[in-house]
Amino acid sequence: MAPPDLPLFERDREQAVLSAVIGELRSGRPALVTVTGEPGLGQNELLRWAAGQARDRGVHVLAARATSAEHELRYGVVAQLLAPEDRDIATRLFVAPQRPGGLPGLNHLLTACHDRPTLLVVQDVQWLDPASLRWLEALARRLPRAPLALLTSTTGTAIDRPEWSVGTPLTGLASTIELALPPLTTSGVSAAVRTVCGVPGDTDFTDALAQATRGVPAVVHEVLLRFTRTGCAPRAEHVEHLRALTAEVVGDHAAQALSELRDPVAVDVLRALAVCGDLLDFPLVCTLAGLHPVPEARLRATLMASGLLTPRDGSPPGHDAVVRARILEEMPAADRADLYARAARLAQRVAVADQGIAELLLRARPVGAPWAVATLRRGFAAALRSGRRDRATAYLARALDEPLRSEERDRVELQLASVQMVTAPTAAERRLHGLIRSTGTGTGLRAQAVDLCLLGGDTRAARLARPTGPGTLGDSAPCDADVPAPRRGSGTGSPPGRRARAVAGDATAPRGGNTSDPAHRDGSDEHPERTTTADNDATVSERDDLATVGERHELATVSERHELIALLRVARFLRHEETCPGVPPAPALPEHSHSPAVAGVRAWEHAMAGVHLEASRRLARAAFAPDPGGRPPLVTPRLFACRALFLTDDGDEAEAHLATLLNEAHRQRAAIAIAHVLAVRADLHLRHGRPDAAARDLAAAEAELPPARLHPLFVPYWASLNLVADLQNGRPDRAREIAARPVPSLSEECATSAYLLFARGVLARSEDDPQRARAYFRACGRWLLHYGCVNPAVLPWRSLAAEAAHALGDDAEALRLTREEVRLAARWGTRSALGRAELGLAVVIRENRTEHFRAAVATLSESPARTDYTRAVLELASAESAEAERRTALALTSRRASTAGGVAPGPLPGFSQVLPAPAGVPPGRGAAPHPRPPAGWPALSPAEHETALLAASGLANREIATTLSVTTRAVELRLSGVYRKLRIRGREELRALRYGPEGG
C-alpha cells in the first residue's frame, strides 16, 4: 500500500475524471468508477483524495477496505460500509444466519440516498468476500434508480471479477468508468526527487531510480525517504547506494504481501513460480506445486491480486529477482532444495534447455540420476562458450555433489581445475594436488594434472607425483631398468613394458643398432626404416597374444612414470630448485621410451644444449605422434617440442602444430592452455619478423589469461614478448613502460628471467646505450648458462653483447664472444643461428668486413629469420658504400652499373652519404664519418627505417613486403609515415636523398 502522504504525481487526468463524477453525483447522476493498476501505483491514495473532495462538496461518503485476512469473513466489507448508518449492523451480519437471496441493509441504503447523494468508496476489491461481492453487484444493478456512485480500486485482477468492472447491460444507464493507472514517467520521478529530497537530482540519478523502481510511486517515495535519511545528495556518485536501497524496499514489500497471503495452495504455487516460472508454463508450475482442487484461473487471480505476480508485455507472469529471492528466503533450506530438485526433474522431462536445468540443479539437493551430471557438463560447456567462467565452474562443482564413478569424478575434477586455473588458481592447485596424491586416480589423469599445474606455474606438483609400481621419481637410474630385456621368441615371461616398446616403436630409441653407441643413445640414427615388415607383424602378433589386463595395467604404469619424469624435467627447467635443501635432483629422461611426452622434452633438452640437430628435429616431431597406449596427449611437452622445432628452423611445421594445439585447447575450453599456445606462437612470429601478428596473439592470450592471473614464473617471458613486439611495431614508449615495470620476486628465480633481461638489452641497444645493453646481455647469458642453455639459437646474447662491447671500444671481448657464438652456432647447424653469428662477427671485426657481411647475407637468405636477413642486407649495403667512397668516380660508376653477384636483394651503394653508421659501428671505426642525415630521419621507427631503405633502392611495394614478411598494405602505411616525417612527396625525393645532392 502506498504511504498516506504519497504525492499524486502525474495523476491530473484521473483527478479530473473523479472531480467530474463527484460533480454529476450532486446532480443526481449515478456512476461506477474502477481504478486499476499494479500494487503501489497509488490507487487507494487516489480514492482517499476523491473521498476528501466529495466531503468538501457536501457528498455523503461511506468507505471500506477489503483485506486478504477477511476474505472468508461474511459481509466483512458491507459491515464497514453500513457501520456509520447502523452501529449494530455488524452483529446482525456476522451472527444471524444467512437467508437465501438476502441483501441486508441494501434497501435502507438506497432509500437514504434519495435524500442525499452518497459516494461509496471500496478499496482493494480483489479481496472481497463472496457475500460482500454479491451485495455490491446487486447495488450496481440498482444504481440507475438512485443518486449514488460506487468508487473502487483493484490491483487489476480480482479473485472473482465483479460484473460492474466490464460494463454489463445491467449498469448501462449509469456512467461506467475504468481508470488504469500507469507508472511514473522519468519526469514524474524527477519531480518526486525534487519534492522529497528538496533539490533536483542528477540525470543519471533520476534515470537509475526510474529503472530500479519501474516508476512505481510507492516504491519511489519510500526509497527516497530512506535515501534522504542517509544525508546523501541525489547525485550520480550515489547510484549504487540507491540501487541497494531499492532492493531493500522491494524486498520488504514482497515480504509484507507474502505474509498477507493466507491461501496455502497459492503460497505453494508462488514458491514454484519463484523457482521455475521462467522455464515452465503456469499449468506445469501448478503441477509442480502438487495436487490441489483450486482451479488454475482462481490461483492465477489470487497471485495477481497479491501483487507478487505481475504480467509483462503479454507474456506469462514473472517475478522480479528481488521478489523471487525474498519468497524463497521464507522457505526452510531443506524444502527449498527439494523443490529445486523436483523442478529440475520436471524440466528434464519436458526437455527444457540444458542451462535452464543446470540453473535449477545448482540449488537442488543431489538427484542421483545420470542425466543430472550430463546436463551440468553440457551447461558448463555452454557457459564457457558465452564467456561465463564463474557460472561454468559452479556447474561442474555442483556435478561433484552427485554420485559418480571414481574415474568420472577425477575427470570432472580435472576439467573444473582447468577453468579454475584462470578464475581461482589456488583452488585449482588444491584440487589438482588431490588428484596427484590419490592412488586411485585414473590412467593418464595424474600426468594431465601435473601438466595443468605446470601451465599454471606450479612446479611443486611434479614432485608430488609418485608413480605406482617399481621405481620412484627420485631414482636417478632409468625408470624402466627394473624391466628385463626381451628375449627373441620369448613368451609370456617377457615383461610388458619392453614388449610394448617393441610393438609401438620407441620414439626415442634407435632401431637396428647398438644402443651402447652414444650417437644412437642421442637418437641420431638416420635409418629408422630398417625394421622389416615381418618383424613388425611378429611383434604385433606377440602383443595380441600376450596383452592381458594385468600387462596393460603395467604398461600404463610404465608410460605414466615416463610422462611424470618428462614433466619433472620441465619443472626443473622452469625453476631450478635442486640447490634447495631436501630437494632431490630430477632423474634423467628414460633412454628408451615410446612416450611422446619424453620425446618432446628430450627434443628441447637437445636444443638447449645445442647438439644433435637432426635428433632434436625427429624427437620434436615424435612428440606429436599418437601415444601407442592411447593415453591422452599432454600440452606442456608438445609446447616445448614446438619451441625446439622453431630452433631447428622448422618454423612452418611448428606453426602448424601450434594451430593444432590451439584448436584442441579451444575444443576443451582450456583457457590457460590457449593462452600459453598463443604466447609461444607470438614468440615464433617475432623470430620470423612478424611483430604485428605477434602483437595480435599476445592480446588474445591476455584476453584468455589476464596478466593479473599470470603466474610469476611466466611473467618475464610474456613481458619480454610484449616488449620486443612493441619495439618492432614502432611503440618505444610502451616498450619502456614494460621494461620499467617491476616483476614479482619469484620471477627472478626462473629460467624465463633470461628472456626479459635479453629484451631489456634490446631496448637499451635501440636507445644507443651500449653500456646498459652489455650489462643486460651478460646477465641474460649468465642466467641461460645456469640452466644449461648454450645454444645461441635460443637467444643470441653473445653477438649482441659483443656489438655493445665493440661500441665501447672493447674489441677483444667483442671478438671472443662473436667467435664463440659462431662456433656454437656451427655445432648446432641451423642457418638462422649461424647467419646471426656471422652477422655479429662482421659487425665487430675490422678485416674483410664486407666479405663477412656477404657470408651472413648468403646464410640468412636460406633461413626463416627475415628480420636478421634484412639487417644483414642493409649492413652489407653500408659496408659496400663505404668501400665505394674510397674508390674513384669511374670505379663507383662501374660498380653501380653492375649488380653484386650472389647478394639479394641488391646492396645499396651511396646510402652512407645520408644514413647514420650501421648498428654496432662507433664513429671513427671501420668507415669514414657520415654526413648529417636529413631532417626527420631520427623520427623514423625501425620498421619505417627498413622500409625506406628498401624503397629507395628501387624495390616495389610487393618486393618489400616479401622481404620484410609483411603485407603490401603495411608497406604502404609505413612509406606514408616516412614521407610525412621526412616532409617529402614520394619515392623520387626519397631516391634523391639516397644519392645525395649530386645524384650519385
Side-chain angles (χ1 to χ4, degrees), residues 504-583:
D506 294 345
T508 61
R511 298 183 184 130
N514 183 4
T515 57
S516 63
D517 185 353
H520 287 296
R521 284 201 304 269
D522 289 329
S524 58
D525 180 43
E526 298 178 356
H527 303 283
E529 68 279 1
R530 290 180 180 174
T531 302
T532 64
T533 304
D535 290 339
N536 284 335
D537 292 341
T539 53
V540 170
S541 176
E542 181 185 31
R543 178 191 61 183
D544 293 340
D545 293 339
L546 303 177
T548 63
V549 175
E551 289 173 342
R552 286 196 297 270
H553 176 73
E554 188 173 349
L555 171 61
T557 301
V558 173
S559 299
E560 182 181 69
R561 189 182 307 127
H562 290 184
E563 287 178 344
L564 293 176
I565 292 174
L567 294 173
L568 185 55
R569 299 291 293 183
V570 172
R572 177 183 179 274
F573 168 74
L574 291 176
R575 189 179 181 192
H576 217 322
E577 298 177 307
E578 294 181 354
T579 56
C580 300
V583 178

Side-chain angles (χ1 to χ4, degrees), residues 311-501:
R312 296 183 183 177
D313 302 328
S315 61
H319 293 286
D320 288 330
V322 175
V323 175
R324 182 184 310 219
R326 188 60 66 94
I327 290 172
L328 294 176
E329 284 175 3
E330 302 295 327
M331 294 182 67
D335 294 346
R336 185 168 58 244
D338 181 71
L339 178 59
Y340 271 107
R342 290 189 286 112
R345 288 196 187 94
L346 180 58
Q348 194 270 339
R349 286 200 298 272
V350 298
V352 171
D354 287 333
Q355 278 196 282
I357 303 175
E359 284 293 320
L360 295 175
L361 289 171
L362 276 183
R363 300 167 180 83
R365 57 169 174 75
V367 298
W371 60 263
V373 176
T375 301
L376 286 166
R377 296 184 75 171
R378 289 195 298 269
F380 159 81
L384 280 186
R385 283 194 298 270
S386 60
R388 301 166 61 209
R389 288 177 179 162
D390 292 339
R391 213 58 179 169
T393 56
Y395 290 153
L396 279 192
R398 171 60 183 83
L400 293 173
D401 294 336
E402 296 290 334
L404 296 169
R405 290 180 292 104
S406 176
E407 184 174 353
E408 186 179 9
R409 179 173 296 278
D410 291 344
R411 292 189 183 280
V412 173
E413 291 266 14
L414 186 69
Q415 196 174 22
L416 176 56
S418 175
V419 181
Q420 285 183 327
M421 272 294 180
V422 176
T423 60
T426 304
E429 287 182 8
R430 285 198 303 267
R431 198 176 298 278
L432 292 173
H433 287 183
L435 285 176
I436 293 168
R437 289 191 179 100
S438 174
T439 57
T441 301
T443 303
L445 293 181
R446 182 181 286 107
Q448 286 183 281
V450 176
D451 183 38
L452 190 54
C453 282
L454 289 178
L455 290 175
D458 178 18
T459 57
R460 298 172 301 162
R463 299 191 180 278
L464 289 177
R466 288 293 180 267
T468 59
T472 64
L473 281 178
D475 299 339
S476 58
C479 285
D480 51 332
D482 54 309
V483 181
R487 298 188 302 273
R488 183 171 295 276
S490 59
T492 57
S494 298
R498 299 301 293 266
R499 276 202 311 277
R501 284 194 298 275

Side-chain angles (χ1 to χ4, degrees), residues 691-692 694-696 722-738 763 941-942:
D692 49 347
R696 288 194 297 270
N722 279 287
L723 193 157
V724 175
D726 285 338
L727 201 59
Q728 292 186 6
N729 283 316
R731 295 191 288 264
D733 292 338
R734 289 181 54 177
R736 293 188 196 98
E737 179 186 349
I738 295 172
L763 177 62
S941 68

Side-chain angles (χ1 to χ4, degrees), residues 15-295:
Q15 288 175 319
V17 170
L18 293 177
S19 294
V21 168
I22 294 170
E24 292 180 352
L25 179 62
R26 295 184 62 201
S27 302
R29 296 176 183 174
L32 269 171
V33 182
T34 304
V35 182
T36 66
E38 295 182 26
L41 290 181
Q43 300 94 313
N44 295 340
E45 178 68 18
L46 193 60
L47 263 62
R48 285 192 290 271
W49 176 87
Q53 293 290 314
R55 291 189 185 97
D56 292 342
R57 297 186 187 185
V59 175
H60 183 54
V61 177
L62 300 176
R65 181 188 176 194
T67 64
S68 61
E70 297 179 357
H71 176 63
E72 301 299 331
L73 180 63
R74 187 181 61 170
Y75 291 121
V77 169
V78 174
Q80 295 180 54
L81 286 173
L82 300 181
E85 303 294 326
D86 185 355
R87 294 184 179 180
D88 299 328
I89 188 68
T91 303
R92 295 197 303 273
L93 290 175
F94 299 154
V95 177
Q98 183 177 4
R99 293 179 298 171
L103 297 170
L106 179 58
N107 291 330
H108 177 74
L109 175 64
L110 292 173
T111 301
C113 288
H114 287 287
D115 298 331
R116 54 181 179 177
T118 303
L119 174 68
L120 270 63
V121 179
V122 182
Q123 301 178 20
D124 298 330
V125 294
Q126 71 269 13
W127 298 118
L128 280 174
D129 61 275
S132 296
L133 177 62
R134 289 193 303 272
W135 193 93
L136 288 174
E137 287 177 345
L139 173 67
R141 287 193 293 270
R142 293 167 173 77
L143 277 183
R145 300 193 297 271
L148 185 145
L150 177 60
L151 177 59
T152 63
S153 69
T154 177
T155 56
T157 303
I159 298 174
D160 292 312
R161 188 170 179 82
E163 289 185 4
W164 69 77
S165 62
V166 293
T168 64
L170 296 176
T171 60
L173 297 179
S175 300
T176 304
I177 302 172
E178 182 171 352
L179 300 175
L181 300 183
L184 296 178
T185 64
T186 304
S187 299
V189 174
S190 179
V193 172
R194 186 169 52 253
T195 301
V196 177
C197 298
V199 294
D202 285 353
T203 302
D204 292 341
F205 182 91
T206 303
D207 292 343
L209 179 62
Q211 182 181 11
T213 61
R214 293 190 294 121
V216 177
V219 180
V220 171
H221 189 253
E222 188 169 347
V223 169
L224 289 175
L225 288 177
R226 296 190 187 186
F227 182 81
T228 54
R229 292 191 196 109
T230 63
C232 298
R235 298 289 179 262
E237 58 266 23
H238 302 302
V239 165
E240 291 303 321
H241 178 52
L242 175 73
R243 291 195 177 107
L245 286 177
T246 304
E248 289 180 7
V249 171
V250 172
D252 292 345
H253 284 200
Q256 178 65 26
L258 187 63
S259 66
E260 295 174 354
L261 193 60
R262 306 293 180 176
D263 187 350
V265 176
V267 172
D268 290 341
V269 173
L270 187 64
R271 290 171 174 174
L273 278 170
V275 167
C276 58
D278 296 336
L279 300 175
L280 304 177
D281 56 18
F282 194 78
L284 287 175
V285 171
C286 294
T287 302
L288 177 64
L291 297 175
H292 49 78
V294 184

